[in-house]
Amino acid sequence: MRDNYNRRINYMRISITDLCNLRCLYCMPEEGVCKKNHRDMLTFEEITEIAKVAASLGINKIRITGGEPLVKKGIVDFIASLSKIEGINDIAMTTNGVLLKEYAKDLKEAGLKRVNISIDSLKPEKYREITRGGDVNMVLDGIQEVLRLGMTPVKLNTVIIGGYNEEDVQDFVALTADDNIEVRFIELMPVGQAGNWATERFISNEAIKKKIGNLIPLAHQTSSPAKYYKIPGAKGKIGFINPISSHFCEECNRIRMTSDGKLKPCLHSNQEIDILNIIRNQPHKLTKVIEESILAKPQQHYLYTEDFQLGTRNMSEIGG
């Protein structure tokens, strides 16, 4: 299906929980999020039914996000149920990687193709500070496990935060030398309670490129928000995702669904369409509601323009 700007929408990002086992500075309040009542959240069975309808409209790629999806009980069986949906040929997950070593083999056997791992420092103390208590060695073990299982390319999502981890850039670049790893630097976004905090610590990807130097540009794939480069002789790649300094809205192919059953046509908008009520009370309208959410996609986001309104949800509630 195409939206009003002739973009083919074939990608759905589904948050299955807003809970997480970390408390990253730019993503979640230090005290965590208020735990919602179970009846206010989509069940795995409901998500699977919605995914079936989305697939009938041309969605063929699903990414599971959180919060942290691996804290959700029954995650392996859920991935297996998604993998059986006709038309869905790519199931991926974004995770902080803390529990990845434990679950990776079962997830692969259930049908998970790839993982993106959010990691903002390789230094134990710095990682602990940014995540408010996380153990980076558990994440590094998870990375090695998915490499061992051949779930490549392994994509590492890294947010550079002014005053925190600027000096980690070269450490991440070095990871691409010998393994099929894609390190993707993502500009810090002003979302939720951390909105103003993020604005003050923003570092553009252009500044990061200059810090790295000696980058060889690679052909751009329109299906990816990242623009890729490599260092000479490297097996892996370095990507830059620039939602702030150089947005990729004209190529956006995705819609999002939150764990409490809201469809979001755009990450940086407060517009939400209630699908939880529809699947429970008017399931015959699911197709129409998903169609409407695709047609409701704006032409672009309006970050840092006079039309921008700071989002009310934290990133952990949306799923990125």
Side-chain angles (χ1 to χ4, degrees), residues 163-304:
Y164 284 86
N165 60 348
E166 300 103 312
E167 301 309 312
D168 287 57
V169 169
Q170 297 295 350
D171 292 343
F172 282 106
V173 169
L175 292 179
T176 68
D178 299 319
D179 287 304
N180 190 7
I181 289 176
E182 296 180 9
V183 171
R184 310 193 312 168
F185 294 105
I186 304 175
E187 289 178 334
L188 182 61
M189 292 179 281
V191 176
Q193 292 184 17
N196 293 326
W197 180 91
T199 301
E200 295 168 358
R201 289 162 178 79
F202 173 77
I203 297 177
S204 75
N205 271 341
E206 284 303 314
I208 295 172
K209 284 183 190 176
K210 291 178 181 177
K211 183 183 286 283
I212 298 171
N214 201 26
L215 288 169
I216 302 169
L218 302 175
H220 177 52
Q221 298 176 336
T222 56
S223 61
S224 173
K227 293 183 179 179
Y228 281 103
Y229 300 76
K230 66 185 301 184
I231 56 174
K235 290 184 179 179
K237 298 189 290 187
I238 301 164
F240 297 91
I241 299 178
N242 310 326
I244 310 300
S245 65
S246 177
H247 66 73
F248 44 87
C249 300
E250 69 277 1
E251 298 171 0
C252 184
N253 64 340
R254 66 199 64 185
I255 57 172
R256 289 172 168 80
M257 186 167 69
T258 65
S259 56
D260 58 355
K262 303 297 188 296
L263 289 173
K264 289 184 70 70
C266 176
L267 171 61
H268 299 292
S269 169
N270 286 324
Q271 181 183 16
E272 297 181 345
I273 298 167
D274 185 359
I275 200 170
L276 183 145
N277 178 60
I278 296 298
I279 192 169
R280 292 183 181 173
N281 300 303
Q282 298 175 298
H284 61 283
K285 292 186 177 181
L286 276 176
T287 299
K288 181 181 179 182
V289 169
I290 297 174
E291 287 177 338
E292 288 175 348
S293 72
I294 290 174
L295 294 175
K297 278 183 68 66
Q299 186 172 12
Q300 66 178 69
H301 70 63
Y302 294 96
L303 287 172
Y304 298 133

Side-chain angles (χ1 to χ4, degrees), residues 22 27 30 34 46 66 77 99 115 148 150 166 189 202 297:
L22 299 178
C27 181
E30 185 171 4
C34 294
E46 289 168 338
D77 289 341
L99 299 175
V115 291
R148 185 187 70 80
E166 300 103 312
M189 292 179 281
F202 173 77
K297 278 183 68 66

Side-chain angles (χ1 to χ4, degrees), residues 61 63 90-95 100 108 112-117 142-157 175-176 179-184 218 221 224 226 228 235-239:
K61 177 180 179 180
R63 175 170 295 278
D90 188 6
I91 303 173
M93 179 183 291
T94 296
T95 171
L100 191 54
K108 181 182 180 182
L112 190 72
K113 303 294 186 185
R114 293 171 293 103
V115 291
N116 288 15
I117 301 166
I143 293 171
Q144 290 304 311
E145 180 67 3
V146 290
L147 285 170
R148 185 187 70 80
L149 291 168
M151 298 173 71
T152 56
V154 176
K155 297 181 180 181
L156 306 185
N157 292 340
L175 292 179
T176 68
D179 287 304
N180 190 7
I181 289 176
E182 296 180 9
V183 171
R184 310 193 312 168
L218 302 175
Q221 298 176 336
S224 173
Y228 281 103
K235 290 184 179 179
K237 298 189 290 187
I238 301 164

